[in-house]
């Protein structure tokens, strides 16, 4: 179930957004945050699939809150801004990766922003998964290199150490990282 945070100092605005979101998205876990400080705490403490910021906030339009969310979270952000302020904030916020929607809301445009945020979230999730995969590969390379140095200190040359790790991994049907871990923690057999 998607977790959505709605930041709105207006209770009426929050309820209207909740209704629009639930109509478009179906069953979601929606939390309403009445202030920027409460929203900051929630963003730092929890993971969100989407954050909708209904401006204005207590002190201005809420650009600082939105920047903080984009820096501290991978959640897409939709910022709702009155027509009269949109010209001064739209370009800046969009450079930060924020979807800016003008108020008063046209429900079809808001729903389109929700769909775009879902696409952004899916793309971000894919990028995060690729990043984790690359980090695992880099860690494996580091472990294998450390294990090679242990074997080199024991008298092997680099090529022999490399071949030893490869041969052990193949013969024992283990990953190179598992063989490297054994060498580092228990000594080579």
């Amino acid at each position: 179930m998607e977790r959505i945070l709605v930041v709105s100092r207006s209770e009426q605005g929050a309820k209207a957004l909740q209704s629009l979101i639930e109509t478009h998205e179906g069953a979601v876990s929606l939390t309403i945050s009445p202030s920027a400080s409460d929203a900051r705490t929630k963003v730092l403490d929890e993971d969100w699939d989407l954050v909708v910021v209904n401006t204005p906030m207590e002190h201005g339009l809420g650009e600082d809150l939105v920047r903080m969310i984009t820096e501290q979270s991978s959640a897409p952000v939709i910022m709702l801004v009155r027509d009269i302020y949109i010209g001064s904030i739209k370009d800046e916020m969009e450079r930060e990766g924020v979807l800016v929607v003008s108020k008063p809301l046209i429900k079809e445009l808001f729903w389109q922003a929700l769909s775009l945020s879902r696409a952004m979230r899916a793309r971000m999730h894919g990028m995060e998964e690729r990043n984790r995969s690359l980090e695992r590969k880099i860690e494996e390379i580091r472990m294998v290199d450390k294990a090679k140095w242990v074997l080199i200190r024991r008298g092997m040359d680099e090529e022999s150490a490399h071949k030893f790790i490869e041969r052990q991994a193949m013969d024992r049907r283990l990953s190179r990282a598992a063989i490297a871990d054994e060498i580092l923690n228990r000594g080579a057999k």
Side-chain angles (χ1 to χ4, degrees):
M1 179 179 297
E2 291 186 341
R3 299 191 70 237
I4 299 174
L5 176 63
V6 173
V7 184
S8 178
R9 70 180 191 161
S10 158
E11 188 176 330
Q12 180 183 1
K15 294 294 182 193
L17 286 169
Q18 181 176 6
S19 175
L20 279 172
I21 291 168
E22 288 173 347
T23 299
H24 186 265
E25 298 291 308
V28 295
S29 172
L30 194 137
T31 301
I32 297 174
S33 182
S35 68
S37 60
D38 181 63
R40 280 185 177 87
T41 302
K42 284 180 171 40
V43 167
L44 292 173
D45 290 346
E46 303 174 53
D47 290 327
W48 300 95
D49 295 311
L50 172 64
V51 179
V52 178
V53 178
N54 184 21
T55 67
M57 300 308 297
E58 309 89 72
H59 305 289
L61 285 178
E63 302 102 308
D64 292 337
L65 170 65
V66 170
R67 275 191 207 92
M68 175 270 185
I69 295 168
T70 60
E71 290 169 3
Q72 301 293 323
S73 166
S74 62
V77 179
I78 298 175
M79 185 176 189
L80 308 176
V81 180
R82 288 186 189 148
D83 277 341
I84 59 173
Y85 301 118
I86 203 152
S88 65
I89 197 169
K90 189 174 190 308
D91 291 340
E92 178 186 351
M93 290 293 105
E94 286 179 347
R95 277 193 298 274
E96 306 265 346
V98 176
L99 293 168
V100 180
V101 178
S102 67
K103 295 190 317 186
L105 286 179
I106 299 170
K107 71 179 176 179
E108 288 79 11
L109 289 177
F110 181 67
W111 288 343
Q112 186 176 26
L114 288 172
S115 295
L116 285 170
S117 74
R118 185 181 309 114
M120 287 171 57
R121 189 169 50 254
R123 184 164 186 209
M124 182 69 86
H125 179 72
M127 291 170 59
E128 288 171 345
E129 187 55 43
R130 282 190 294 276
N131 189 38
R132 282 190 291 274
S133 175
L134 288 172
E135 286 174 353
R136 285 189 298 269
K137 287 178 184 178
I138 289 169
E139 184 56 32
E140 179 180 314
I141 290 168
R142 284 186 183 136
M143 282 182 65
V144 169
D145 283 347
K146 287 179 184 178
K148 278 192 227 177
W149 279 107
V150 168
L151 295 173
I152 289 168
R153 278 183 268 172
R154 293 182 182 162
M156 288 187 186
D157 61 41
E158 185 175 359
E159 186 177 337
S160 297
H162 178 78
K163 286 181 181 179
F164 175 81
I165 292 170
E166 292 287 327
R167 188 174 52 250
Q168 288 290 312
M170 211 173 2
D171 290 349
R172 296 173 56 198
R173 294 185 177 136
L174 295 171
S175 69
R176 294 176 339 137
I179 299 300
D181 185 55
E182 283 183 7
I183 292 168
L184 294 170
N185 293 321
R186 294 180 210 103
K189 295 183 180 182

